[in-house]
Amino acid sequence: MPSSTAGGRIAGPSVSSAALLTAAGRAGAVLATVGNLYGYGPVDGPMTEDTPTAAGGTKGQVRNRMWAEAVAAHRAGRVRVTEVRGSDYLGVGALSVPMMLLPRVLDGRRVVLPVDFDAPHTWTYVDDVARTLVRAAAVERAWGRAWHVPSPPAVSARELAARAAALADAPAPRLTRLPYPALWLGGLVDPFVRELRETAYQFDRPFLMDSTAATATLGIEPTPLGSALAQTVAALRAAPTSAPRRPLR
């Protein structure tokens, strides 16, 4: 039976990741982990699974060491591993830029975020993360490497907001970019904002993820953005308190 662990904040790749590798190896399970794109660092052009993992920040370096240890254990025959990586999540329950943006758009409130609202960006639907994780864990040819979660073509945060507003018959979005100096100052007193500073590059330029390899090998097509957005908007309308409401202002 596949086992999985969602990516979260950790102090380092030592005790926790080693324990997971040991437990999966002893149980004969596949360790299927959910990663992200931090490990690549700033890049020009679409990211593929072959993009060098050259992150300079702590979060990216920690994830790269964890994955390197997992692959080394896999190649040594001690455990079977795979990882799926998505871009910023779209879907209720995710702590992500879309899920900080959309509830305020649906409420007709101004959105203030450290984002270039016009840069094309890949958004990954949370249901597709789950489908890809299950498939990668179950298919032997997926083991020993990482996969990008199939995601629809990139659109800007402005387009995402406008489409959500249209679906909900909400007012036209009011979007204001928070300047980086304000983000830096906010990080002096707010740990959440401080964490955003390291990955701010993801939102000041095009941020594109190529997921064609997973579609071709695992047979998973991404949920169309219109469908993913409609389901997310409906869920937010049904249970608005389930979405993160952490404004950056």
Side-chain angles (χ1 to χ4, degrees):
M1 181 176 182
S3 61
S4 66
T5 177
R9 289 189 59 197
I10 60 172
S14 52
V15 177
S16 296
S17 60
L20 288 171
L21 290 169
T22 300
R26 289 176 177 173
V30 176
L31 180 62
T33 57
V34 178
N36 55 36
L37 308 181
Y38 292 166
Y40 301 126
V43 300
D44 294 319
M47 289 165 280
T48 72
E49 293 89 339
D50 295 324
T51 298
T53 49
T58 300
K59 287 201 284 279
Q61 291 177 356
V62 166
R63 288 190 174 275
N64 289 342
R65 290 196 298 272
M66 289 175 62
W67 180 237
E69 290 181 359
V71 171
H74 177 90
R75 291 174 178 169
R78 299 196 302 272
V79 66
R80 296 165 295 168
V81 303
T82 188
E83 179 168 281
V84 301
R85 299 170 180 168
S87 189
D88 295 276
Y89 288 168
L90 174 64
V92 170
L95 182 57
S96 62
V97 164
M99 302 316 298
M100 288 187 277
L101 177 145
L102 293 180
R104 299 182 70 82
V105 168
L106 300 186
D107 289 347
R109 295 182 289 168
R110 181 175 297 280
V111 177
V112 183
L113 289 170
V115 169
D116 179 350
F117 289 102
D118 296 304
H121 199 104
T122 298
W123 313 106
T124 298
Y125 187 41
V126 292
D127 285 14
D128 292 337
V129 177
R131 291 195 299 127
T132 306
L133 185 68
V134 170
R135 180 67 174 162
V139 176
E140 184 174 354
R141 64 181 178 274
W143 301 342
R145 60 160 290 175
W147 301 91
H148 286 174
V149 176
S151 301
V155 302
S156 69
R158 189 179 304 279
E159 180 175 344
L160 193 74
R163 291 175 66 171
L167 284 168
D169 196 25
R174 296 177 295 150
L175 310 176
T176 299
R177 183 175 184 176
L178 183 74
Y180 183 78
L183 179 67
W184 190 89
L185 289 172
L188 296 177
V189 295
D190 189 327
F192 179 82
V193 176
R194 190 179 309 127
E195 290 295 317
L196 290 177
R197 296 187 302 193
E198 185 179 318
T199 55
Y201 64 85
Q202 296 183 358
F203 300 100
D204 66 8
R205 68 191 74 183
F207 193 73
L208 310 173
M209 183 184 76
D210 184 316
S211 56
T212 54
T215 293
T217 303
L218 304 179
I220 296 176
E221 295 286 343
T223 301
L225 182 60
S227 298
L229 194 55
Q231 293 174 48
T232 301
V233 168
L236 287 173
R237 283 302 200 202
T241 56
S242 66
R245 293 277 183 153
R246 184 71 178 266
L248 295 180
R249 74 175 195 183

